Each structure stands twice: as C-alpha cells, then as structure tokens.
Amino acid sequence: MGQDGNVRDESAGAPWGGVYDWYQRGVKLLQEGSPAAAAALLERAAAAEPESRSILEALARAQFNSRQYAEAAASFRQIVDANPAEDYAYFGLGLALWRTGDVEGAQEPLAIAVAMRPDERNYVSALKSVRATLRARREM
C-alpha cells in the first residue's frame, strides 16, 4: 500500500487504487465504450466486495456489453438472488439468457421484470420478442 492508502501491487498485475477507484474507473470505461476493459476492472472490484450491488450491476452490464453473456447472466442472477425486488436485474438476466440461446429460460425473468414495471417499454418489448421466438419455434 502506498502512502496515499491506495493499493500498490503492480508486481501482481493489480491496478492502482482501492475498490472504489476500480469501480469508478470501471463505470467510466463502460460509459466510454470499453466494456471488456471495464469488466476486467469490475471483476476485481466484485471479488473484493462481493456484497456490493452497484459493483455487481456495473460488472453485469460490462459483461453483457462485451458479449460475455453467460458471465453476465451469472452476475445478474447473483443480484436477483440477493434482492428479488431488482427489476433491472431480472431484465438483464432475461436478456443475457436470451443471448446465450436459452430463450425458454429468458422468458421467466423477463416476465417478472414486466410484472414489476409494466410501464418499462424495453422490458415489455424484450418479453414480446422472446415469446414470439418461442411461438415460432413451436410452429416449426
């Protein structure tokens, strides 16, 4: 640790700063369009603070945006398991499952998100698309 209180373990490949610094930089990278770099930094923050919902949500978003859909689904599922009132986590879980090809599995979390927030057009649209895909598959 440096004199400023920040972690200084460059020999182990650790980024400078503490968990909050990693989170802030990860969110900034995500906003700037570098989701893979954000995910790498946020994974480290989540490992250090596994109970932090904000870190986990940012990590899940970064994983999703960098096409790490299975990892994003696992992160969103952690949020849902810890707090079943998180409509956005259900939405993210549904989208991530859909992207992994688990269209059937995507239906339930998306339906829950819509039930929680029927006014959220993105939720409704995603659920309609998943259900239309499932209908089309059954008709084949």
Side-chain angles (χ1 to χ4, degrees):
M1 187 167 300
Q3 291 179 334
D4 58 4
N6 287 325
V7 175
R8 299 274 187 232
D9 189 5
E10 299 300 329
S11 64
W16 64 267
V19 175
Y20 184 73
D21 298 310
W22 302 338
Y23 169 72
Q24 289 294 310
R25 289 197 330 262
V27 168
K28 187 172 187 213
L29 285 165
L30 185 58
Q31 291 169 342
E32 292 173 348
S34 299
L41 203 51
L42 291 164
E43 283 170 8
R44 186 174 288 276
E49 293 285 338
E51 302 301 314
S52 172
R53 189 203 134 310
S54 6
I55 291 173
L56 201 52
E57 182 182 305
L59 172 59
R61 287 178 32 233
Q63 290 167 325
F64 185 90
N65 290 346
S66 61
R67 299 179 183 195
Q68 300 174 47
Y69 301 123
E71 293 84 351
S75 294
F76 280 123
R77 191 176 307 279
Q78 273 186 267
I79 297 169
V80 165
D81 289 346
N83 187 353
E86 293 286 344
D87 61 280
Y88 181 78
Y90 280 106
F91 175 64
L93 174 58
L95 288 184
L97 290 171
W98 187 12
R99 294 297 193 281
T100 65
D102 185 2
V103 183
E104 187 72 41
Q107 186 174 214
E108 183 180 343
L110 288 172
I112 293 169
V114 168
M116 295 170 91
R117 293 279 313 273
D119 59 316
E120 183 57 57
R121 291 185 358 214
N122 291 327
Y123 295 7
V124 173
S125 175
L127 179 59
K128 284 181 179 178
S129 294
V130 162
R131 287 183 171 163
T133 300
L134 290 171
R135 255 192 321 279
R137 286 182 178 178
R138 283 191 284 271
E139 292 171 1
M140 293 177 114

